[in-house]
Amino acid sequence: MAKIAIIEDETAIAGMYKFKLEQLGHEVRLAINGVEGLKLSETYQPDLILLDLMMPEMDGEKMLEKVRATDWGKDIKVIILTNISNESQPPGLKNLNIAGYMVKANYTPVQVAEISDTILTGGKV
């Protein structure tokens, strides 16, 4: 069982991912913006973060920069889960050691859960 944090401002979407990941046996916690996500990541120290980019208060890229600047967060696996196309992603993400980049519209919650499992076990997407 892995600890997974979902940082996503659309609660219905976050709930779908949470449900599918819990069905696979993972422990999942949610945050609705980058500020809450940063606090959750620090206290929960997840094995994997599913991170949206466009959120209120602090966007995903800024949150990830802050996570990566810490000892506890420099090696956490992170999947960007957004509706920003791969071609339009912020250029700074390439320097933030992300494990995967998924456009939400292109993946079902089941696929997101399966890909998350693959990354948790050391696989690549």
Side-chain angles (χ1 to χ4, degrees):
M1 172 183 73
K3 296 190 322 184
I4 300 173
I6 300 173
I7 321 304
E8 165 67 64
D9 61 324
E10 294 181 50
T11 56
I13 291 174
M16 288 188 306
Y17 297 142
K18 181 179 190 288
F19 179 74
K20 290 300 179 188
L21 288 161
E22 286 176 340
Q23 282 186 319
L24 294 175
H26 300 297
E27 179 183 311
V28 182
R29 299 216 180 135
L30 306 175
I32 60 168
N33 61 53
V35 172
E36 284 187 18
L38 185 59
K39 288 177 190 168
L40 174 65
S41 298
E42 184 173 10
T43 57
Y44 185 49
Q45 299 200 357
D47 301 301
L48 175 68
I49 296 173
L50 297 180
L51 181 61
D52 190 12
L53 289 178
M54 297 188 325
M55 296 182 293
E57 295 190 45
M58 180 190 303
D59 67 35
E61 181 183 15
K62 180 60 74 183
M63 190 206 109
L64 185 53
E65 286 173 5
K66 291 179 180 293
V67 166
R68 291 295 189 227
T70 66
D71 283 340
W72 55 265
K74 65 183 185 320
D75 296 320
I76 293 174
K77 293 177 178 159
V78 176
I79 298 173
I80 301 298
L81 195 55
T82 185
N83 274 324
I84 298 173
S85 71
N86 206 356
E87 298 78 32
S88 301
Q89 70 175 278
L93 282 181
K94 299 208 183 319
N95 303 320
L96 294 173
N97 188 27
I98 60 170
Y101 191 97
M102 293 191 278
V103 176
K104 287 185 241 182
N106 297 341
Y107 296 90
T108 66
V110 169
Q111 290 171 314
V112 169
E114 289 170 350
I115 290 169
S116 297
D117 249 6
T118 299
I119 286 174
L120 283 164
T121 57
K124 300 278 184 198
V125 267

